[in-house]
Amino acid sequence: MHREQLKNDPKLTNPLVLAFLGDATYAHFVRFHLIAKGLVKPNQLHKQANRYVSAAAQANILLQLMPMLTEEEAAIVRRGRNSKSGSTAKNASIIDYRHATAFEALIGYLSLTGEETRMAELLEKAFAIVEGAHEG
């Protein structure tokens, strides 16, 4: 399905739908990033990917990205954070889980709106945060 075929305005899309898309999109970019860094062993890839995609990691990323977000992006984050998913966090606090959902909603929103340049910019910062290279 192409973005043009979507009937809803991404700003009005259920934030949990945005998070669903964002989860898959973010995981794809994390995997690509790790392979591009030269990781090739499946077990090593899986362990490293978890450093990026855990709820705690995503919550930390979001909190550090917040000052850089536009008003529109911050509104999507708020909607994602405040959504009641009906599922519970498996290995995370409810706060981290909600922030991770908000981060995924933001990535889903940027993907849905075709904002590839902005998404790439935020993902680059997200990877730097996880890798400890973020300079506030």
Side-chain angles (χ1 to χ4, degrees):
M1 180 185 298
H2 297 289
R3 285 182 196 93
E4 299 82 39
Q5 294 174 307
L6 293 167
K7 294 183 168 102
N8 294 335
D9 177 348
K11 290 179 197 162
L12 302 177
T13 300
N14 181 327
L16 296 177
V17 171
L18 294 176
F20 176 77
L21 177 61
D23 176 52
T25 302
Y26 181 63
H28 167 79
F29 280 103
V30 164
R31 290 172 182 194
F32 189 88
H33 174 72
L34 293 174
I35 291 167
K37 284 178 62 171
L39 298 177
V40 293
K41 294 180 181 172
N43 188 44
Q44 187 182 38
L45 285 166
H46 182 72
K47 280 184 178 176
Q48 288 299 310
N50 284 338
R51 288 181 54 223
Y52 294 79
V53 300
S54 72
Q58 289 182 4
N60 181 45
I61 290 165
L62 179 67
L63 293 175
Q64 292 194 50
L65 290 180
M66 283 302 292
M68 301 170 218
L69 300 183
T70 66
E71 272 303 312
E72 190 173 295
E73 292 165 347
I76 295 296
V77 164
R78 281 190 298 277
R79 288 181 55 227
R81 185 189 62 224
N82 295 333
S83 295
K84 305 274 192 281
S85 70
S87 60
T88 57
K90 294 177 194 96
N91 297 312
S93 72
I94 191 67
I95 304 275
D96 281 354
Y97 185 75
R98 292 244 174 130
H99 283 113
T101 300
F103 174 71
E104 291 170 348
L106 173 61
I107 298 302
Y109 175 77
L110 293 172
S111 178
L112 204 56
T113 56
E115 297 284 339
E116 278 93 11
T117 302
R118 178 62 172 160
M119 184 168 50
E121 178 185 334
L122 292 178
L123 289 176
E124 184 179 317
K125 291 179 188 309
F127 297 159
I129 290 165
V130 172
E131 292 162 9
H134 183 66
E135 297 155 346

